[in-house]
PDB file of all heavy atoms in Angstrom:
ATOM      1  N   VAL A   1      24.053  -5.636  -9.853  1.00 88.00           N
ATOM      2  CA  VAL A   1      23.785  -4.392  -9.128  1.00 88.00           C
ATOM      3  C   VAL A   1      22.610  -4.635  -8.200  1.00 88.00           C
ATOM      4  O   VAL A   1      21.535  -5.051  -8.650  1.00 88.00           O
ATOM      5  CB  VAL A   1      23.473  -3.231 -10.098  1.00 88.00           C
ATOM      6  CG1 VAL A   1      23.155  -1.956  -9.317  1.00 88.00           C
ATOM      7  CG2 VAL A   1      24.641  -3.000 -11.045  1.00 88.00           C
ATOM      8  N   ARG A   2      22.821  -4.400  -6.916  1.00 88.00           N
ATOM      9  CA  ARG A   2      21.775  -4.597  -5.909  1.00 88.00           C
ATOM     10  C   ARG A   2      21.775  -3.416  -4.955  1.00 88.00           C
ATOM     11  O   ARG A   2      22.808  -2.778  -4.753  1.00 88.00           O
ATOM     12  CB  ARG A   2      22.027  -5.867  -5.097  1.00 88.00           C
ATOM     13  CG  ARG A   2      22.027  -7.167  -5.877  1.00 88.00           C
ATOM     14  CD  ARG A   2      22.217  -8.340  -4.942  1.00 88.00           C
ATOM     15  NE  ARG A   2      22.178  -9.617  -5.641  1.00 88.00           N
ATOM     16  CZ  ARG A   2      23.257 -10.259  -6.066  1.00 88.00           C
ATOM     17  NH1 ARG A   2      24.458  -9.734  -5.867  1.00 88.00           N
ATOM     18  NH2 ARG A   2      23.145 -11.420  -6.688  1.00 88.00           N
ATOM     19  N   PRO A   3      20.637  -3.132  -4.309  1.00 90.00           N
ATOM     20  CA  PRO A   3      20.637  -2.133  -3.234  1.00 90.00           C
ATOM     21  C   PRO A   3      21.544  -2.608  -2.101  1.00 90.00           C
ATOM     22  O   PRO A   3      21.639  -3.803  -1.831  1.00 90.00           O
ATOM     23  CB  PRO A   3      19.176  -2.079  -2.780  1.00 90.00           C
ATOM     24  CG  PRO A   3      18.398  -2.806  -3.798  1.00 90.00           C
ATOM     25  CD  PRO A   3      19.302  -3.730  -4.501  1.00 90.00           C
ATOM     26  N   LYS A   4      22.182  -1.656  -1.436  1.00 88.00           N
ATOM     27  CA  LYS A   4      23.069  -2.003  -0.317  1.00 88.00           C
ATOM     28  C   LYS A   4      22.561  -1.471   1.013  1.00 88.00           C
ATOM     29  O   LYS A   4      23.159  -1.725   2.049  1.00 88.00           O
ATOM     30  CB  LYS A   4      24.476  -1.472  -0.591  1.00 88.00           C
ATOM     31  CG  LYS A   4      25.150  -2.163  -1.772  1.00 88.00           C
ATOM     32  CD  LYS A   4      26.567  -1.679  -1.959  1.00 88.00           C
ATOM     33  CE  LYS A   4      27.251  -2.422  -3.097  1.00 88.00           C
ATOM     34  NZ  LYS A   4      28.641  -1.943  -3.307  1.00 88.00           N
ATOM     35  N   THR A   5      21.475  -0.708   0.977  1.00 88.00           N
ATOM     36  CA  THR A   5      20.864  -0.191   2.205  1.00 88.00           C
ATOM     37  C   THR A   5      19.353  -0.233   2.057  1.00 88.00           C
ATOM     38  O   THR A   5      18.826  -0.355   0.936  1.00 88.00           O
ATOM     39  CB  THR A   5      21.293   1.268   2.492  1.00 88.00           C
ATOM     40  OG1 THR A   5      20.687   2.133   1.504  1.00 88.00           O
ATOM     41  CG2 THR A   5      22.807   1.441   2.445  1.00 88.00           C
ATOM     42  N   SER A   6      18.642  -0.103   3.175  1.00 88.00           N
ATOM     43  CA  SER A   6      17.173  -0.103   3.106  1.00 88.00           C
ATOM     44  C   SER A   6      16.668   1.128   2.359  1.00 88.00           C
ATOM     45  O   SER A   6      15.647   1.071   1.668  1.00 88.00           O
ATOM     46  CB  SER A   6      16.576  -0.170   4.511  1.00 88.00           C
ATOM     47  OG  SER A   6      17.081   0.868   5.320  1.00 88.00           O
ATOM     48  N   GLY A   7      17.381   2.259   2.482  1.00 91.00           N
ATOM     49  CA  GLY A   7      16.994   3.462   1.738  1.00 91.00           C
ATOM     50  C   GLY A   7      17.108   3.246   0.235  1.00 91.00           C
ATOM     51  O   GLY A   7      16.237   3.662  -0.536  1.00 91.00           O
ATOM     52  N   GLN A   8      18.184   2.587  -0.187  1.00 93.00           N
ATOM     53  CA  GLN A   8      18.336   2.286  -1.612  1.00 93.00           C
ATOM     54  C   GLN A   8      17.251   1.333  -2.093  1.00 93.00           C
ATOM     55  O   GLN A   8      16.775   1.449  -3.222  1.00 93.00           O
ATOM     56  CB  GLN A   8      19.717   1.691  -1.867  1.00 93.00           C
ATOM     57  CG  GLN A   8      20.848   2.689  -1.747  1.00 93.00           C
ATOM     58  CD  GLN A   8      22.166   2.136  -2.234  1.00 93.00           C
ATOM     59  OE1 GLN A   8      22.311   0.947  -2.511  1.00 93.00           O
ATOM     60  NE2 GLN A   8      23.160   3.001  -2.341  1.00 93.00           N
ATOM     61  N   LYS A   9      16.862   0.389  -1.234  1.00 92.00           N
ATOM     62  CA  LYS A   9      15.768  -0.525  -1.606  1.00 92.00           C
ATOM     63  C   LYS A   9      14.465   0.256  -1.798  1.00 92.00           C
ATOM     64  O   LYS A   9      13.700   0.005  -2.745  1.00 92.00           O
ATOM     65  CB  LYS A   9      15.602  -1.581  -0.507  1.00 92.00           C
ATOM     66  CG  LYS A   9      14.407  -2.536  -0.675  1.00 92.00           C
ATOM     67  CD  LYS A   9      14.603  -3.486  -1.832  1.00 92.00           C
ATOM     68  CE  LYS A   9      13.687  -4.704  -1.761  1.00 92.00           C
ATOM     69  NZ  LYS A   9      12.266  -4.419  -1.675  1.00 92.00           N
ATOM     70  N   ARG A  10      14.174   1.219  -0.916  1.00 93.00           N
ATOM     71  CA  ARG A  10      12.974   2.052  -1.071  1.00 93.00           C
ATOM     72  C   ARG A  10      13.032   2.823  -2.389  1.00 93.00           C
ATOM     73  O   ARG A  10      12.013   2.972  -3.085  1.00 93.00           O
ATOM     74  CB  ARG A  10      12.852   3.039   0.094  1.00 93.00           C
ATOM     75  CG  ARG A  10      12.271   2.452   1.369  1.00 93.00           C
ATOM     76  CD  ARG A  10      11.966   3.527   2.394  1.00 93.00           C
ATOM     77  NE  ARG A  10      13.159   4.145   2.933  1.00 93.00           N
ATOM     78  CZ  ARG A  10      13.590   5.362   2.643  1.00 93.00           C
ATOM     79  NH1 ARG A  10      12.894   6.130   1.806  1.00 93.00           N
ATOM     80  NH2 ARG A  10      14.689   5.843   3.189  1.00 93.00           N
ATOM     81  N   TYR A  11      14.207   3.317  -2.725  1.00 95.00           N
ATOM     82  CA  TYR A  11      14.414   4.081  -3.957  1.00 95.00           C
ATOM     83  C   TYR A  11      14.142   3.202  -5.176  1.00 95.00           C
ATOM     84  O   TYR A  11      13.389   3.588  -6.092  1.00 95.00           O
ATOM     85  CB  TYR A  11      15.852   4.592  -3.944  1.00 95.00           C
ATOM     86  CG  TYR A  11      16.309   5.375  -5.150  1.00 95.00           C
ATOM     87  CD1 TYR A  11      15.535   6.367  -5.724  1.00 95.00           C
ATOM     88  CD2 TYR A  11      17.572   5.131  -5.702  1.00 95.00           C
ATOM     89  CE1 TYR A  11      15.990   7.102  -6.810  1.00 95.00           C
ATOM     90  CE2 TYR A  11      18.040   5.862  -6.778  1.00 95.00           C
ATOM     91  CZ  TYR A  11      17.249   6.839  -7.332  1.00 95.00           C
ATOM     92  OH  TYR A  11      17.707   7.561  -8.405  1.00 95.00           O
ATOM     93  N   VAL A  12      14.708   2.002  -5.199  1.00 95.00           N
ATOM     94  CA  VAL A  12      14.501   1.070  -6.312  1.00 95.00           C
ATOM     95  C   VAL A  12      13.024   0.705  -6.443  1.00 95.00           C
ATOM     96  O   VAL A  12      12.467   0.687  -7.552  1.00 95.00           O
ATOM     97  CB  VAL A  12      15.366  -0.194  -6.102  1.00 95.00           C
ATOM     98  CG1 VAL A  12      14.955  -1.309  -7.064  1.00 95.00           C
ATOM     99  CG2 VAL A  12      16.842   0.139  -6.283  1.00 95.00           C
ATOM    100  N   ASP A  13      12.367   0.432  -5.321  1.00 94.00           N
ATOM    101  CA  ASP A  13      10.936   0.090  -5.349  1.00 94.00           C
ATOM    102  C   ASP A  13      10.098   1.260  -5.853  1.00 94.00           C
ATOM    103  O   ASP A  13       9.113   1.070  -6.580  1.00 94.00           O
ATOM    104  CB  ASP A  13      10.465  -0.323  -3.954  1.00 94.00           C
ATOM    105  CG  ASP A  13      11.042  -1.666  -3.517  1.00 94.00           C
ATOM    106  OD1 ASP A  13      11.543  -2.407  -4.379  1.00 94.00           O
ATOM    107  OD2 ASP A  13      10.989  -1.960  -2.303  1.00 94.00           O
ATOM    108  N   ALA A  14      10.478   2.477  -5.462  1.00 96.00           N
ATOM    109  CA  ALA A  14       9.732   3.665  -5.899  1.00 96.00           C
ATOM    110  C   ALA A  14       9.823   3.842  -7.408  1.00 96.00           C
ATOM    111  O   ALA A  14       8.820   4.149  -8.074  1.00 96.00           O
ATOM    112  CB  ALA A  14      10.260   4.912  -5.187  1.00 96.00           C
ATOM    113  N   VAL A  15      11.014   3.636  -7.968  1.00 96.00           N
ATOM    114  CA  VAL A  15      11.180   3.756  -9.421  1.00 96.00           C
ATOM    115  C   VAL A  15      10.338   2.712 -10.144  1.00 96.00           C
ATOM    116  O   VAL A  15       9.726   2.990 -11.180  1.00 96.00           O
ATOM    117  CB  VAL A  15      12.673   3.620  -9.811  1.00 96.00           C
ATOM    118  CG1 VAL A  15      12.834   3.619 -11.331  1.00 96.00           C
ATOM    119  CG2 VAL A  15      13.497   4.759  -9.206  1.00 96.00           C
ATOM    120  N   ALA A  16      10.265   1.515  -9.574  1.00 94.00           N
ATOM    121  CA  ALA A  16       9.502   0.432 -10.210  1.00 94.00           C
ATOM    122  C   ALA A  16       8.007   0.722 -10.243  1.00 94.00           C
ATOM    123  O   ALA A  16       7.311   0.295 -11.177  1.00 94.00           O
ATOM    124  CB  ALA A  16       9.767  -0.886  -9.482  1.00 94.00           C
ATOM    125  N   THR A  17       7.505   1.455  -9.249  1.00 95.00           N
ATOM    126  CA  THR A  17       6.049   1.611  -9.112  1.00 95.00           C
ATOM    127  C   THR A  17       5.529   2.999  -9.498  1.00 95.00           C
ATOM    128  O   THR A  17       4.322   3.210  -9.471  1.00 95.00           O
ATOM    129  CB  THR A  17       5.611   1.303  -7.664  1.00 95.00           C
ATOM    130  OG1 THR A  17       6.349   2.139  -6.762  1.00 95.00           O
ATOM    131  CG2 THR A  17       5.887  -0.148  -7.311  1.00 95.00           C
ATOM    132  N   ASN A  18       6.419   3.922  -9.851  1.00 96.00           N
ATOM    133  CA  ASN A  18       5.987   5.280 -10.186  1.00 96.00           C
ATOM    134  C   ASN A  18       6.455   5.689 -11.573  1.00 96.00           C
ATOM    135  O   ASN A  18       7.398   5.113 -12.128  1.00 96.00           O
ATOM    136  CB  ASN A  18       6.524   6.272  -9.148  1.00 96.00           C
ATOM    137  CG  ASN A  18       5.850   6.131  -7.799  1.00 96.00           C
ATOM    138  OD1 ASN A  18       4.755   6.624  -7.583  1.00 96.00           O
ATOM    139  ND2 ASN A  18       6.511   5.426  -6.881  1.00 96.00           N
ATOM    140  N   ILE A  19       5.813   6.707 -12.113  1.00 96.00           N
ATOM    141  CA  ILE A  19       6.219   7.250 -13.411  1.00 96.00           C
ATOM    142  C   ILE A  19       7.360   8.237 -13.231  1.00 96.00           C
ATOM    143  O   ILE A  19       8.316   8.262 -14.015  1.00 96.00           O
ATOM    144  CB  ILE A  19       5.020   7.933 -14.106  1.00 96.00           C
ATOM    145  CG1 ILE A  19       3.923   6.905 -14.371  1.00 96.00           C
ATOM    146  CG2 ILE A  19       5.451   8.586 -15.418  1.00 96.00           C
ATOM    147  CD1 ILE A  19       2.616   7.504 -14.847  1.00 96.00           C
ATOM    148  N   VAL A  20       7.289   9.053 -12.189  1.00 97.00           N
ATOM    149  CA  VAL A  20       8.340  10.040 -11.900  1.00 97.00           C
ATOM    150  C   VAL A  20       8.816   9.822 -10.469  1.00 97.00           C
ATOM    151  O   VAL A  20       8.015   9.836  -9.532  1.00 97.00           O
ATOM    152  CB  VAL A  20       7.824  11.491 -12.059  1.00 97.00           C
ATOM    153  CG1 VAL A  20       8.940  12.493 -11.758  1.00 97.00           C
ATOM    154  CG2 VAL A  20       7.271  11.713 -13.464  1.00 97.00           C
ATOM    155  N   THR A  21      10.116   9.615 -10.314  1.00 97.00           N
ATOM    156  CA  THR A  21      10.701   9.412  -8.990  1.00 97.00           C
ATOM    157  C   THR A  21      11.837  10.396  -8.778  1.00 97.00           C
ATOM    158  O   THR A  21      12.691  10.563  -9.654  1.00 97.00           O
ATOM    159  CB  THR A  21      11.249   7.977  -8.839  1.00 97.00           C
ATOM    160  OG1 THR A  21      10.207   7.047  -9.125  1.00 97.00           O
ATOM    161  CG2 THR A  21      11.771   7.740  -7.423  1.00 97.00           C
ATOM    162  N   PHE A  22      11.829  11.038  -7.615  1.00 97.00           N
ATOM    163  CA  PHE A  22      12.914  11.933  -7.223  1.00 97.00           C
ATOM    164  C   PHE A  22      13.761  11.234  -6.167  1.00 97.00           C
ATOM    165  O   PHE A  22      13.250  10.836  -5.116  1.00 97.00           O
ATOM    166  CB  PHE A  22      12.356  13.245  -6.649  1.00 97.00           C
ATOM    167  CG  PHE A  22      11.689  14.123  -7.673  1.00 97.00           C
ATOM    168  CD1 PHE A  22      10.378  13.894  -8.069  1.00 97.00           C
ATOM    169  CD2 PHE A  22      12.373  15.191  -8.241  1.00 97.00           C
ATOM    170  CE1 PHE A  22       9.756  14.701  -9.005  1.00 97.00           C
ATOM    171  CE2 PHE A  22      11.765  16.005  -9.196  1.00 97.00           C
ATOM    172  CZ  PHE A  22      10.454  15.759  -9.572  1.00 97.00           C
ATOM    173  N   GLY A  23      15.049  11.080  -6.439  1.00 96.00           N
ATOM    174  CA  GLY A  23      15.994  10.536  -5.466  1.00 96.00           C
ATOM    175  C   GLY A  23      16.874  11.651  -4.954  1.00 96.00           C
ATOM    176  O   GLY A  23      17.704  12.184  -5.705  1.00 96.00           O
ATOM    177  N   ILE A  24      16.677  12.033  -3.699  1.00 95.00           N
ATOM    178  CA  ILE A  24      17.365  13.203  -3.147  1.00 95.00           C
ATOM    179  C   ILE A  24      18.249  12.753  -1.994  1.00 95.00           C
ATOM    180  O   ILE A  24      17.784  12.090  -1.059  1.00 95.00           O
ATOM    181  CB  ILE A  24      16.349  14.252  -2.656  1.00 95.00           C
ATOM    182  CG1 ILE A  24      15.423  14.658  -3.810  1.00 95.00           C
ATOM    183  CG2 ILE A  24      17.058  15.476  -2.076  1.00 95.00           C
ATOM    184  CD1 ILE A  24      14.233  15.503  -3.389  1.00 95.00           C
ATOM    185  N   GLY A  25      19.529  13.094  -2.051  1.00 93.00           N
ATOM    186  CA  GLY A  25      20.422  12.676  -0.983  1.00 93.00           C
ATOM    187  C   GLY A  25      21.850  13.091  -1.245  1.00 93.00           C
ATOM    188  O   GLY A  25      22.184  13.577  -2.334  1.00 93.00           O
ATOM    189  N   PRO A  26      22.723  12.895  -0.264  1.00 89.00           N
ATOM    190  CA  PRO A  26      24.112  13.344  -0.381  1.00 89.00           C
ATOM    191  C   PRO A  26      24.933  12.460  -1.314  1.00 89.00           C
ATOM    192  O   PRO A  26      24.470  11.414  -1.787  1.00 89.00           O
ATOM    193  CB  PRO A  26      24.628  13.234   1.061  1.00 89.00           C
ATOM    194  CG  PRO A  26      23.780  12.188   1.693  1.00 89.00           C
ATOM    195  CD  PRO A  26      22.433  12.306   1.058  1.00 89.00           C
ATOM    196  N   ALA A  27      26.168  12.877  -1.543  1.00 85.00           N
ATOM    197  CA  ALA A  27      27.079  12.126  -2.401  1.00 85.00           C
ATOM    198  C   ALA A  27      27.289  10.725  -1.852  1.00 85.00           C
ATOM    199  O   ALA A  27      27.334  10.514  -0.643  1.00 85.00           O
ATOM    200  CB  ALA A  27      28.424  12.863  -2.479  1.00 85.00           C
ATOM    201  N   GLY A  28      27.416   9.763  -2.765  1.00 87.00           N
ATOM    202  CA  GLY A  28      27.743   8.404  -2.360  1.00 87.00           C
ATOM    203  C   GLY A  28      26.572   7.525  -2.004  1.00 87.00           C
ATOM    204  O   GLY A  28      26.758   6.389  -1.570  1.00 87.00           O
ATOM    205  N   THR A  29      25.339   8.012  -2.181  1.00 91.00           N
ATOM    206  CA  THR A  29      24.170   7.204  -1.819  1.00 91.00           C
ATOM    207  C   THR A  29      23.646   6.366  -2.989  1.00 91.00           C
ATOM    208  O   THR A  29      22.626   5.690  -2.856  1.00 91.00           O
ATOM    209  CB  THR A  29      23.033   8.096  -1.283  1.00 91.00           C
ATOM    210  OG1 THR A  29      22.799   9.175  -2.203  1.00 91.00           O
ATOM    211  CG2 THR A  29      23.399   8.678   0.076  1.00 91.00           C
ATOM    212  N   GLY A  30      24.317   6.410  -4.137  1.00 90.00           N
ATOM    213  CA  GLY A  30      23.935   5.556  -5.266  1.00 90.00           C
ATOM    214  C   GLY A  30      22.759   6.055  -6.072  1.00 90.00           C
ATOM    215  O   GLY A  30      22.176   5.286  -6.842  1.00 90.00           O
ATOM    216  N   LYS A  31      22.414   7.330  -5.942  1.00 93.00           N
ATOM    217  CA  LYS A  31      21.243   7.868  -6.650  1.00 93.00           C
ATOM    218  C   LYS A  31      21.367   7.678  -8.163  1.00 93.00           C
ATOM    219  O   LYS A  31      20.485   7.127  -8.811  1.00 93.00           O
ATOM    220  CB  LYS A  31      21.077   9.366  -6.351  1.00 93.00           C
ATOM    221  CG  LYS A  31      21.025   9.748  -4.903  1.00 93.00           C
ATOM    222  CD  LYS A  31      20.869  11.253  -4.717  1.00 93.00           C
ATOM    223  CE  LYS A  31      21.994  12.076  -5.321  1.00 93.00           C
ATOM    224  NZ  LYS A  31      23.294  11.881  -4.649  1.00 93.00           N
TER     225      LYS A  31
END
């Protein structure tokens, strides 16, 4: 499983570095 877009990469990095992460976006973005 890998990020497929730069937005997904930002999301993965945010989860790694924060205690609470909100991933907000439309259907199909891999949240």
Side-chain angles (χ1 to χ4, degrees):
V1 178
R2 298 183 178 95
K4 294 184 177 179
T5 70
S6 55
Q8 288 190 350
K9 174 70 162 56
R10 280 189 291 106
Y11 178 45
V12 168
D13 290 344
V15 175
T17 55
N18 290 280
I19 298 171
V20 180
T21 305
F22 290 82
I24 303 170
T29 51
K31 306 180 300 293

